[in-house]
Amino acid sequence: MNVFGVDIGGSGIKGAPVDLERGALTEERHKVLTPQPATPDGVAGCVAEVVAHFGWTGPVGVTFPGVVTGSTIRTAANVDPSWIGVDAGTLLSDRLGGLPVTVLNDADAAGVAEMTYGAGRGRKGTVILLTLGTGIGSALFVDGRLVPNTELGHLELKGHDAETRASTKAKEDEDLTWEHWATRRLRKYLAHVEMLFSPELFIIGGGVSRKADKFLPLIEGIRAEIVPAELQNNAGIVGAGMAAGTVKATP
């Protein structure tokens, strides 16, 4: 079964058709830059552009970088705050000509994909996926069941929002070496999360997961196993597509 997933990020919006049999993209993803400011109208236009690129006419799953309840946006840390309170499902469906749209938290989508097709497949106990990018997204699983909207990137770390210290954006903005970022920032963040939740497994996702060999071997003193996401930066699209696969198109 093919479905369609769109992943809204703080810097880019990307999407592609997804094969749910394999948990893989069926075509090369199409990506556009996230508009600045990332208002509901601007982002909705970009989502429509990504979907139109493929001529897609079925259900669409869309991730959002913030808390989503139902299809209503509750937080918007890395996009415009005017998103808060918006019914994103209705907004995006209208912009897509009435196509059925399912909206969910971006890291939750990536986590569900990794637990189904990737590094978390078959794992029990407590598993935490962290997506490192513009911010830090999180997905918490207990015996395979998702605890939604955890947003652990906003834990306080040394008096700061953790994602402002340990995200990929923080590394790039401060021009940190891999060693400095991994040992002084990311390790301390992982230790803090481990203290709170005692997971058996950390899955590290986001675009930086492609370069896991540059930083994961540097992280010491964490009891949990730490592995890169197998679906890498496509996990959000796949998870969005999985959500779309639960929606039936209107005849």
Side-chain angles (χ1 to χ4, degrees):
M1 177 183 177
N2 287 355
V3 290
F4 198 93
V6 178
D7 190 12
I8 297 173
S11 59
I13 298 170
K14 54 190 181 291
V18 177
D19 178 358
L20 291 184
E21 293 269 335
R22 300 182 297 118
L25 310 188
T26 64
E27 299 183 50
E28 184 176 349
R29 70 190 190 188
H30 182 65
K31 181 177 180 179
V32 298
L33 295 178
T34 302
Q36 301 299 329
T39 61
D41 185 64
V43 170
C46 290
V47 171
E49 179 183 342
V50 170
V51 174
H53 176 82
F54 296 91
W56 187 261
T57 58
V60 177
V62 181
T63 77
F64 185 84
V67 172
V68 182
T69 56
S71 65
T72 299
I73 306 305
R74 301 301 184 192
T75 67
N78 292 305
V79 290
D80 196 83
S82 59
W83 272 102
I84 296 173
V86 170
D87 184 335
T90 297
L91 170 67
L92 295 171
S93 180
D94 288 346
R95 291 298 290 268
L96 295 175
L99 296 182
V101 173
T102 304
V103 184
L104 70 164
N105 174 267
D106 56 349
D108 286 350
V112 168
E114 282 293 329
M115 294 297 287
T116 305
Y117 303 107
R121 188 172 55 249
R123 294 294 295 255
K124 299 298 183 183
T126 301
V127 177
I128 296 177
L129 172 130
L130 298 169
T131 58
L132 306 179
T134 304
I136 296 178
S138 63
L140 171 64
F141 295 85
V142 180
D143 291 333
R145 180 167 295 185
L146 173 69
V147 180
N149 291 313
T150 48
E151 292 289 283
L152 301 181
H154 300 298
L155 290 171
E156 183 178 318
L157 189 64
K158 290 190 174 295
H160 299 275
D161 207 35
E163 69 179 18
T164 67
R165 302 274 300 167
S167 65
T168 305
K169 184 176 187 296
K171 177 188 179 302
E172 294 170 351
D173 287 351
E174 299 181 48
D175 196 26
L176 302 176
T177 65
W178 286 107
E179 182 178 12
H180 184 107
W181 178 66
T183 61
R184 301 191 188 183
R185 300 292 185 86
L186 186 56
R187 189 200 69 78
K188 290 179 180 179
Y189 172 64
L190 292 175
H192 188 57
V193 176
E194 183 172 64
M195 179 269 294
L196 293 171
F197 296 98
S198 300
E200 282 81 17
L201 175 67
F202 280 116
I203 303 172
I204 305 299
V208 76
S209 60
R210 295 191 302 268
K211 301 176 181 178
D213 60 316
K214 293 183 178 294
F215 65 94
L216 287 190
L218 302 174
I219 298 175
E220 299 178 345
I222 304 298
R223 292 187 299 275
E225 181 182 0
I226 310 172
V227 300
E230 291 182 11
L231 303 183
Q232 297 183 347
N233 211 23
N234 288 335
I237 298 175
V238 173
M242 294 173 68
T246 67
V247 179
K248 302 300 182 183
T250 302

